Amino acid sequence: MVPVLLPAVAFALPVVIIMRNEKRPVRRPWLFSLGSFAAALGALCQELWVFYLRADKGDVSGMLDTAGAVLVIGIGISLVCLLLNLIALGLSWGDGEESR
């Protein structure tokens, strides 16, 4: 359950900023982005932890079978999280200046 939860949180937080930008922008969008990056980092650390457990048990064939997929998933999580956060922060940039 946790391997799905952390990437979902990493993707959901910037999506919240994007969806709320039109109606009522969030006050501190950088906190949402920080939480998103923290969740993505947690997901990547979790993948490394699974590799550590497999190495500890001596399951080298299991590591070799899944190494490519884990690499693609890690790169995908990083790129999607970065892209969503850049879009979210770009949309919320300068919102405080309009009230002057």
Side-chain angles (χ1 to χ4, degrees):
M1 181 64 162
V2 177
V4 176
L5 186 64
L6 287 176
V9 169
F11 300 153
L13 287 175
V15 169
V16 167
I17 297 173
I18 294 169
M19 298 298 268
R20 286 186 55 184
N21 189 41
E22 298 268 335
K23 296 178 185 177
R24 200 177 75 197
V26 295
R27 288 187 178 203
R28 296 182 188 106
W30 59 273
L31 283 176
F32 283 78
S33 288
L34 185 65
S36 173
F37 283 125
L41 182 65
L44 294 175
C45 288
Q46 185 177 17
E47 293 296 330
L48 289 174
W49 179 252
V50 170
F51 261 66
Y52 170 75
L53 291 177
R54 286 188 176 182
D56 191 39
K57 292 180 181 177
D59 187 17
V60 177
S61 64
M63 289 173 49
L64 292 175
D65 287 343
T66 60
V70 169
L71 182 63
V72 169
I73 290 170
I75 291 171
I77 289 172
S78 300
L79 289 178
V80 171
C81 183
L82 180 65
L83 182 67
L84 284 173
N85 279 297
L86 286 175
I87 291 170
L89 290 176
L91 288 175
S92 62
W93 180 265
D95 283 344
E97 295 175 4
E98 294 175 3
S99 62
R100 287 184 188 180

